[in-house]
Amino acid sequence: MSKYRTEPGVAAFTKRLRSKLDGEVLDDSYTLGMYATDASIYQILPKVVVFPKHQQDVKQAVVIAGAENVTILPRGAGTSLAGQAVGASMVLDFSRYINKVLEIDADQRWVKVQPGLARDDLNAVLATHGLHFAPDPATSSRANIGGMVGNNSSGTKSILYGKTVDHVLEAKVLLADGTMLDLYSKNQEEYQTVIDNGGREAEVYEGFRKIIQSNRE
């Protein structure tokens, strides 16, 4: 197995991750080599690869990375053709543990899932309810829902059924500073309530409102 030179501070960063997370934290040359590539032509060695076991693991990893000034790269199957899934970062791979269907409402035709769930695995579950998640990238047997949301994946049937963005109702989003947001369509009163409550969420919402207003024309 080949050797590589560890950057200053990376060993301490990795040790801190291991002390705080329940999931796996890997920095061996084999794992780093595997995650240095995706389906694109690019090859960039990551600093460390993390397999978070649950939501708290993700939050802890993100907060630690922020404190250590390490960039963060969420990743699933790495099926990207443009290099989005490689970088000199802390890779968070959701596909190993955070890959479940959490809730299905067949009557209302919605499903709540974790980001590491593969598209075809989701549809295997939905089929038992007579439902189907329409976006169909060529790599649907491996492509994770989180990556499909990030890329706004489409497929050959998108003209008829739309892209991923057309099928997302809500999203639980973790910001780089550890703030958790539940994002969904809000009316003016709900929007204003968020801003009136203050804090990081209000700052984000107010920032978006200023961008929209200044570019309305």
Side-chain angles (χ1 to χ4, degrees), residues 87-105:
S89 309
M90 174 186 71
V91 170
L92 287 174
D93 187 340
F94 294 89
S95 64
R96 182 168 292 185
Y97 298 114
I98 307 182
N99 56 10
K100 307 296 189 299
V101 174
L102 300 178
E103 187 178 355
I104 298 176
D105 189 322

Side-chain angles (χ1 to χ4, degrees), residues 1 44 64-65 78 81 86 124 140 181 186 189-190 200-202:
M1 193 172 288
I44 305 173
I64 292 171
L81 298 175
V86 296
S140 62
L181 301 182
K186 293 179 173 61
E189 182 178 347
E190 292 170 327
R200 178 64 175 140
E201 185 173 13

